[in-house]
Structures are given as C-alpha cells and as structure tokens.
Amino acid sequence: MNKYLTVQEILDVTGGKLLYGNVEEQCKSFSRNTKEINAGDIYIGFKGERSDGSKFYEEAFNQGAKGCIINKVEGLEVKKFEGKFIIEVEDTVNAIGKIAKLKREKYNIPVIAITGSVGKTSTKDVVASVVSEKYKTLKTQGNMNNHIGMPLTILKLDDEEALVVEMGMNHFGEISKLTNIAKPTIAIITNVGTAHIGNLGSRENILRAKLEILEGLAKDGTLIINNDNDLLHKWNEENTKYKVLTYGINNKSMIMAKNIEYTDKGSKYELAVNMDGKTNSDEEKIEVPVGGEAFVYNSLAGISVGKILNIEDEKIKKGIKEFELSKMRLDVQKVERGYTVINDCYNANFDSMKSSIQYLNKMKGKRKIAVLGDMLELGEFSQKLHENVGMEVANNKVDILITVGNETKNTARVAQENGVEHVYSYDNNQEAIEKLRKILGVDDVVLVKASNSMNFKEIVENIIK
C-alpha cells in the first residue's frame, strides 16, 4: 500500500470539491503556516478568530506549496495556478481529522496515545525516547495535542516505525474524536486531577472524559495507568473488559519504583517488575535525569511501554536516561548571576502546581522563590484550588512567594496565613519582574509557573538575561 495520500483519496474521504488540479497528485507533507512551508507541501487553511487561513492560499503557492485545502469562503475568487491544485471543503478542521484517520490506516505500527490531567507532554517525551531505542519514532511536537495538532502530527508520518501522540481535552467528546483518528495500540492515562474541572464539574467526570481514549484502542491493545492515582486505581479494581498494565510507587503495581533516591539533578531507583505472574527485581538502578517524583512516574510509564514492545532492558534504561524534555516544562537553567531558574510556565493546574512546588522544595539553594500565576478553566472551584496551592507553598517551606493575577491573591493569602513571611501580590508581570530583579541573589532557586495565557515566559526572559 502506498503510504502517501492522493488528491482523489482526500476528495473521497472529505467529500471535498476539486477546484482544479490533478486527482493523481501525491500528498506527502502538510502545513498550516504559510511562513513554514517547504517546497511540495500541502497547505491547509484554518479559520481563526480574526481571519480565515484559506484566504492565504496564494501566499502558500508563492512559498512553494503544490496544493491547498481550503474552506468555502464567501466572496473569495480563487485564482488558478499552473501545476497546482486546490481542494475546497466545508470545514478544514473536520477535514483534517478525516485525512489523518485515512493516513493512520496506511500504517501497521505501534501507536502510543497519552492523556491525563498533568504530565502528558513530559511522559510523551520519555516514552518516545524509550521507543526510539528500537523504532524510528515520530512524536507530537511541543503541545500539539488538540483536534488540529494531533492530526497534523499523524500527517507527518513518512518512514517511521512507531508513533507517540499526546491527547488533550477541555470537554467531553474531544478525546473520543482524537482516539478514533489515531487508533492507538497502547494508551496511557497518567492521572486524573483537576485540570478543566470548571468545564467538567468533577474529577469523576474528568475520569470519564479521559477513559474515552479506550474507544479507539485496538482490540488487543493495552491501557497503561498510574495505579497510585485514586480514581484510576478504583476504576481498575472494577475493570473486567480491558487489558491493563499498572505502574506506581505506593500501590502494588506491575511496574514499580523501589528505594527511590532523589537529588536536585534527578533520581535513581530499583525497578520491580511483576508481569504475567512473574516477579523480577532489577538490581541495576534506573536513572532519571530530571528531578522530582513526577518524573519517576513518567519513567515508569516509559518502562511499561518498553516492556509491552519487548524493548531490551538496557535500551529502556538508555532511553530514560537520555530523554530530552520539551521546553518550558521544568526547564532548569543556571543564570550567570548565580541563581537557578525553573521555567515551567507552559501550563498550570493544581496537580502540576503541587508537583512543581514539591520539586522546588527538593532543589538545593539558599532561598526558594515561587513566582505563581493564575490557573484557568477552574470555574467555581477556582478559589478553593488556588487556596490549596497556598497551602502547598507553606508546606514546602517556600521562602518567598510572588503572585501575579487576581485568582492567586487567594494563594498569597493562605500562604501568609500559614507561615510564609515574604509574600508579594502583583497585578501584572512587569511588577513581578521589577521585584525579582531587586531580590534575586546567588544560590537562589526560583520557580516560574502559570497557565500559558499569563505569558510568564516574559518573566523568565527578563530574569535570565
């Protein structure tokens, strides 16, 4: 089977209309950004809040695209370009899902899909590193885990032998759509926390939404779960339908970390494996290059995938030891002026806040400083969860707390009420930057974390200069 899609196949699967061009033309690579197009790419125009990308088809052709897939745009007069093609569809977002699903069907390879309230991206990085020790592997880049990003990842498939994708969601039904496109052979749920609880109403509903990943799982596929998560543990005790591999630190699991040694640079632990009724304790320790308990869990997920794919133990260990973390996720940087910055400002929910604050606590340093911003999409739960973050700040002996935003005023108040002496609340990033410039000194460690829309990368850029 030809792994490349043809114009005719795209027309058939989308119900689109060929405005002009050759139906036998092969479509090997796709792009949504006219500034990043390579010669021979197929440009897909998506409708945004301000404009419809379909209107930029001419620019795409001028940049080297050989074809475009566009929405029906009222009043748009489509010019004909010699040797090019244009497919018009009702909705490019809906179309890309159908095209990616068709592309996926052309590949008989391991497909690992990862979801969870926290840790999706870092788990993906570890898993892909392990899998790449045996297979040429394509993985989700950055955080492209939604209804556009994940299909675009699948459409990058060429000669790869394995695929690792991340699936995010805000509402019911979103994971269902993604999993029925990707059709995973292995699925991972890292945990069920409070992210998007404002949309879904309860952690139990979040669990239901995450479990949608099973709808697309291959009949002989395996679900891998964090058995220390209370809701996943309870669900698995009642599960009789699906093949499940468990990992954990506390609850008895098939893949377990024992005798963990934490340092500010990483961790080491002994691996205990209990699969198929056979118990094996690995005397050689697993080395994780990023500190914190969260990354022990991530590594256990990677080991679980490695075991299912029969990857040699030494290669699994190598994949974990050498994995590279996506940027802005616990990205630790020593600054020339002598302090250390933990850049974790891509996203934030209570579970990831708690994990990052605990990581800050374990770091070696003169003073521990937390710069925290609002967590979004929490609805009626927002005040309570921001207050809970304040308790975490106090419990983990943070020396200085700086908050930015309205919701984190609750964090600041609770932290102060529970013994944190130095607390500063600001309304914007610039005020926080000015304060940090005044107080940061040699051997300080500063954590910078908030939801992405708070633009905390601005704070990071200003304190690492």
Side-chain angles (χ1 to χ4, degrees):
M1 180 187 290
N2 185 354
K3 291 181 178 179
Y4 298 126
L5 299 168
T6 65
V7 169
Q8 186 62 60
E9 286 178 311
I10 291 174
L11 291 169
D12 291 343
V13 77
T14 63
K17 176 183 178 182
L18 183 65
L19 300 186
Y20 59 83
N22 182 359
V23 295
E24 295 180 0
E25 190 74 57
Q26 288 193 339
C27 306
K28 296 182 180 181
S29 53
F30 297 78
S31 176
R32 64 177 296 184
N33 189 337
T34 56
K35 293 180 175 61
E36 297 176 358
I37 281 179
N38 296 311
D41 280 355
I42 312 305
Y43 171 70
I44 306 176
F46 294 105
K47 189 173 183 179
E49 293 181 4
R50 298 177 182 174
S51 64
D52 193 329
S54 299
K55 295 179 180 179
F56 303 118
Y57 75 93
E58 290 185 63
E59 183 180 338
F61 281 145
N62 290 332
Q63 293 295 326
K66 71 174 180 179
C68 292
I69 302 173
I70 64 172
N71 292 305
K72 288 184 178 178
V73 180
E74 189 174 345
L76 179 66
E77 294 184 12
V78 177
K79 298 178 183 178
K80 189 168 184 177
F81 283 68
E82 195 66 35
K84 311 283 189 179
F85 70 83
I86 290 184
I87 297 172
E88 183 183 73
V89 296
E90 290 289 341
D91 177 16
T92 49
V93 173
N94 186 38
I96 195 177
K98 293 177 179 179
I99 298 167
K101 184 175 181 180
L102 178 62
K103 177 80 170 180
R104 160 68 181 99
E105 290 169 356
K106 292 175 175 281
Y107 287 77
N108 181 23
I109 60 175
V111 176
I112 301 97
I114 302 164
T115 192
S117 293
V118 65
K120 294 184 293 294
T121 301
S122 49
T123 299
K124 171 208 70 185
D125 292 333
V126 176
V127 168
S129 183
V130 169
V131 174
S132 65
E133 290 295 319
K134 181 176 181 179
Y135 303 101
K136 184 176 181 181
T137 303
L138 174 67
K139 72 172 183 176
T140 299
Q141 294 301 308
N143 195 41
M144 291 179 61
N145 62 18
N146 64 8
H147 56 300
I148 294 176
M150 194 207 72
L152 281 171
T153 297
I154 292 174
L155 289 176
K156 290 182 182 295
L157 277 170
D158 188 3
D159 60 347
E160 286 83 7
E161 303 163 314
L163 173 66
V164 181
V165 292
E166 182 182 334
M167 295 181 179
M169 65 91 201
N170 298 319
H171 299 87
F172 285 119
E174 293 174 346
I175 295 289
S176 176
K177 290 179 182 178
L178 296 178
T179 190
N180 279 295
I181 293 170
K183 294 293 183 183
T185 58
I186 299 171
I188 301 173
I189 304 179
T190 61
N191 48 51
V192 177
T194 57
H196 315 301
I197 197 168
N199 297 332
L200 292 162
S202 69
R203 289 184 65 228
E204 286 73 20
N205 281 345
I206 294 171
L207 172 66
R208 282 176 50 208
K210 299 299 183 187
L211 287 170
E212 289 175 4
I213 200 169
L214 295 168
E215 295 174 20
L217 184 65
K219 288 184 178 179
D220 59 346
T222 302
L223 172 66
I224 299 172
I225 64 166
N226 176 350
N227 201 34
D228 287 345
N229 182 265
D230 57 342
L231 292 186
L232 288 171
H233 178 79
K234 181 182 177 183
W235 173 84
N236 190 44
E237 285 184 327
E238 300 166 357
N239 163 60
T240 57
K241 184 177 179 182
Y242 300 98
K243 182 164 62 175
V244 176
L245 192 158
T246 59
Y247 65 86
I249 296 171
N250 303 312
N251 291 329
K252 186 176 180 182
S253 306
M254 298 176 185
I255 305 292
M256 294 195 72
K258 299 285 190 180
N259 301 319
I260 306 170
E261 300 173 21
Y262 292 108
T263 70
D264 58 342
K265 294 183 179 179
S267 60
K268 295 180 182 180
Y269 62 84
E270 294 173 6
L271 179 65
V273 179
N274 186 352
M275 296 174 65
D276 304 320
K278 299 176 183 177
T279 301
N280 172 48
S281 188
D282 195 335
E283 291 183 1
E284 287 189 59
K285 290 182 179 179
I286 301 293
E287 294 185 37
V288 185
V290 180
E293 185 180 76
F295 284 87
V296 173
Y297 282 113
N298 296 342
S299 69
L300 292 172
I303 292 167
S304 300
V305 172
K307 294 292 184 183
I308 292 171
L309 296 180
N310 295 314
I311 298 175
E312 295 173 12
D313 289 347
E314 289 303 316
K315 289 185 176 181
I316 292 175
K317 293 175 186 176
K318 183 172 180 285
I320 291 169
K321 189 175 181 179
E322 297 179 359
F323 92 94
E324 294 184 2
L325 193 61
S326 292
K327 293 299 180 185
M328 293 197 297
R329 295 170 192 278
L330 279 179
D331 184 11
V332 181
Q333 185 172 348
K334 185 87 174 199
V335 179
E336 282 185 13
R337 280 173 280 173
Y339 53 82
T340 299
V341 178
I342 305 170
N343 178 3
D344 196 17
C345 59
Y346 192 89
N347 217 335
N349 54 61
F350 172 69
D351 308 278
S352 65
M353 279 279 196
K354 179 180 177 180
S355 176
S356 296
I357 292 166
Q358 290 174 343
Y359 179 61
L360 173 64
N361 174 258
K362 290 184 170 68
M363 291 284 285
K364 291 179 180 178
K366 183 179 178 181
R367 296 182 300 178
K368 310 295 176 63
I369 303 169
V371 185
L372 307 180
D374 288 352
M375 303 179 293
L376 306 181
E377 296 185 347
L378 298 179
E380 63 184 282
F381 302 92
S382 185
Q383 179 176 334
K384 179 60 178 173
L385 289 170
H386 281 89
E387 289 173 344
N388 290 349
V389 171
M391 284 302 302
E392 290 299 324
V393 169
N395 291 339
N396 284 277
K397 297 179 174 52
V398 171
D399 297 295
I400 300 173
L401 172 63
I402 296 173
T403 69
V404 179
N406 189 53
E407 295 297 321
T408 46
K409 286 182 171 62
N410 294 303
T411 303
R413 172 178 51 80
V414 170
Q416 203 158 26
E417 289 172 352
N418 287 273
V420 181
E421 293 184 21
H422 304 286
V423 178
Y424 308 92
S425 289
Y426 299 113
D427 294 321
N428 59 67
N429 292 348
Q430 192 57 45
E431 291 176 328
I433 290 167
E434 291 172 6
K435 182 64 178 178
L436 285 164
R437 283 175 173 166
K438 290 177 182 176
I439 66 171
L440 279 172
V442 175
D443 293 333
D444 284 343
V445 183
V446 55
L447 166 68
V448 185
K449 187 167 180 64
S451 285
N452 192 33
S453 60
M454 296 292 289
N455 194 31
F456 265 31
K457 66 178 181 180
E458 176 185 27
I459 296 177
V460 173
E461 288 168 356
N462 275 275
I463 62 176
I464 63 174
K465 287 179 179 177

